[in-house]
Amino acid sequence: MRNQFLSIFLICLISIVPLASSESNSDFTVDNKEPEMTTGDYFLYDLDMTGLLESMEDEDIDEVLENSNSGMRMEYGGDSCLQTGWDDCRIGLMAWELNVTMIFSEGSGIDNDRVVMLLKMESTNVFTETKNHDTTIQTIDSWFTIDGEAYHQEFVTTGVAVTTTESVEPESLKVGDTWTTEEVVEITTNEKSRTNGEAWEYEEEVIETEDITTNYNAESVSNVYVGNTTYQSMKIKSDEMGSEVMGYVYTADSGMPIKMEYYEEGSLQMIATLSEYSWTNEPVQASDADPGDDLGLPGFTMVSVMASSVLAVYFVARKQ
């Protein structure tokens, strides 16, 4: 669906993984219109990457331990077109941080066979109805010792993705709806690295163009349980052609994604769950929570945009 809020791009092991139970409801619809946002509104997702971290283990890596993570924060940054020169722009901001310990197989040559790694990702996305300009900075810091000598490696990747689409999406969704989006993405990537604070080494700039086709299917109505609160939601499948990754988004009737799941080759890799938010003009959200429960989720229309932000974090972690 339309990349209108944050078209970029998990990781906090949540104490209770949300469950979902299916129920059929032909009258249940999801609003896909633009929301009214105010500068500073934000949405924080807890991210569970247990499956992904386990899948990194191989003959060279015995275990990947999560030390800490920030969750993924998405914030509305206002309506300036200064960066692009386009008309009628809005700005989305995203930040995420993960700290892990990688335990290598015995005989790796690294003292204690351990490396501590800190991954950070920040992005600024300027978007209009048919275009978006996303600048993403990924940093990776690694600390380890070899024969008692300490090493600190730094890798910085800056990517600029300009996406154009003419796809038309439904303004209201019901079970059984299917639709397809087509996008053209030009990505410019620059990388640099250094060890122990020495001079930076720069890689050659890479420019790539991709044509991305994504199929969506509103499959069913489910009750999603987040802690003690129940939300009726629509389960929407997204499947990018040519990719091994497939996703499900559980979306409230107002359009806000409550839970997102991503699978690779049929194996669950990642779960994202909304944990905290601040939305100045929040519409009323129906749920089965008690009237005094503070965990009311806001409405939102950019299902695929929120999902693509989560998916981008997945690909960054997977690559590293």
Side-chain angles (χ1 to χ4, degrees):
M1 300 168 67
R2 179 74 60 207
N3 291 339
Q4 295 173 330
F5 178 54
L6 300 173
S7 61
I8 43 113
F9 341 49
L10 262 143
I11 300 189
C12 186
L13 291 178
I14 51 181
S15 58
I16 302 178
V17 175
L19 305 174
S21 63
S22 296
E23 77 177 53
S24 177
N25 190 336
S26 59
D27 296 329
F28 186 81
T29 59
V30 169
D31 186 3
N32 192 39
K33 298 187 182 75
E34 289 192 17
E36 182 179 353
M37 305 294 294
T38 301
T39 301
D41 288 350
Y42 72 88
F43 303 86
L44 179 62
Y45 282 83
D46 284 344
L47 307 176
D48 180 351
M49 277 191 172
T50 303
L52 173 60
L53 297 181
E54 290 178 350
S55 70
M56 292 179 178
E57 299 169 5
D58 56 22
E59 64 273 12
D60 297 318
I61 301 175
D62 287 345
E63 192 173 8
V64 181
L65 304 176
E66 182 181 273
N67 301 322
S68 65
N69 66 80
S70 63
M72 184 178 67
R73 179 187 174 96
M74 292 183 283
E75 181 175 331
Y76 182 67
D79 55 5
S80 172
C81 288
L82 183 62
Q83 184 173 342
T84 61
W86 299 340
D87 297 321
D88 193 23
C89 302
R90 298 199 289 170
I91 299 174
L93 308 172
M94 190 274 281
W96 162 74
E97 181 176 314
L98 170 70
N99 184 300
V100 299
T101 296
M102 303 185 71
I103 304 176
F104 290 86
S105 301
E106 186 177 357
S108 66
I110 300 172
D111 293 352
N112 298 319
D113 299 313
R114 292 174 180 250
V115 173
V116 175
M117 181 179 296
L118 177 64
L119 292 81
K120 294 183 180 180
M121 184 175 179
E122 296 180 345
S123 68
T124 300
N125 183 266
V126 181
F127 54 91
T128 68
E129 184 177 349
T130 60
K131 296 185 293 186
N132 64 67
H133 181 285
D134 172 62
T135 302
T136 302
I137 300 176
Q138 306 165 17
T139 63
I140 302 175
D141 289 82
S142 299
W143 295 269
F144 55 93
T145 62
I146 297 178
D147 297 329
E149 183 176 354
Y151 289 86
H152 173 207
Q153 291 185 335
E154 300 171 82
F155 297 88
V156 180
T157 302
T158 301
V160 177
V162 179
T163 303
T164 305
T165 180
E166 297 294 337
S167 299
V168 177
E169 302 171 24
E171 292 186 352
S172 180
L173 308 177
K174 63 181 183 299
V175 172
D177 284 348
T178 61
W179 65 101
T180 299
T181 61
E182 296 181 350
E183 300 172 330
V184 178
V185 185
E186 182 180 274
I187 305 171
T188 303
T189 304
N190 287 276
E191 297 182 348
K192 64 179 181 179
S193 62
R194 66 179 180 179
T195 300
N196 291 343
E198 297 178 352
W200 288 103
E201 296 182 7
Y202 295 85
E203 301 295 329
E204 185 176 349
E205 182 176 83
V206 177
I207 301 177
E208 302 172 295
T209 300
E210 296 182 75
D211 295 320
I212 299 177
T213 300
T214 305
N215 297 316
Y216 294 89
N217 181 13
E219 292 191 344
S220 62
V221 175
S222 298
N223 288 324
V224 177
Y225 302 95
V226 183
N228 296 322
T229 306
T230 304
Y231 295 94
Q232 190 176 38
S233 65
M234 183 174 292
K235 182 181 180 181
I236 302 173
K237 179 182 179 180
S238 63
D239 191 359
E240 181 181 316
M241 294 182 61
S243 173
E244 297 179 345
V245 178
M246 179 268 294
Y248 286 104
V249 181
Y250 295 83
T251 309
D253 56 3
S254 52
M256 179 62 199
I258 300 170
K259 183 180 72 166
M260 291 169 274
E261 301 173 341
Y262 289 95
Y263 295 78
E264 184 167 359
E265 297 182 343
S267 176
L268 179 61
Q269 300 289 298
M270 186 171 63
I271 302 171
T273 307
L274 185 67
S275 61
E276 181 183 323
Y277 71 93
S278 176
W279 190 4
T280 304
N281 299 305
E282 175 190 358
V284 175
Q285 170 63 51
S287 78
D288 294 337
D290 294 334
D293 196 325
D294 291 331
L295 187 60
L297 300 187
F300 207 75
T301 65
M302 294 73 166
V303 174
S304 67
V305 175
M306 303 286 275
S308 66
S309 298
V310 174
L311 188 58
V313 170
Y314 167 77
F315 281 124
V316 169
R318 185 65 171 169
K319 179 181 179 180
Q320 307 310 327

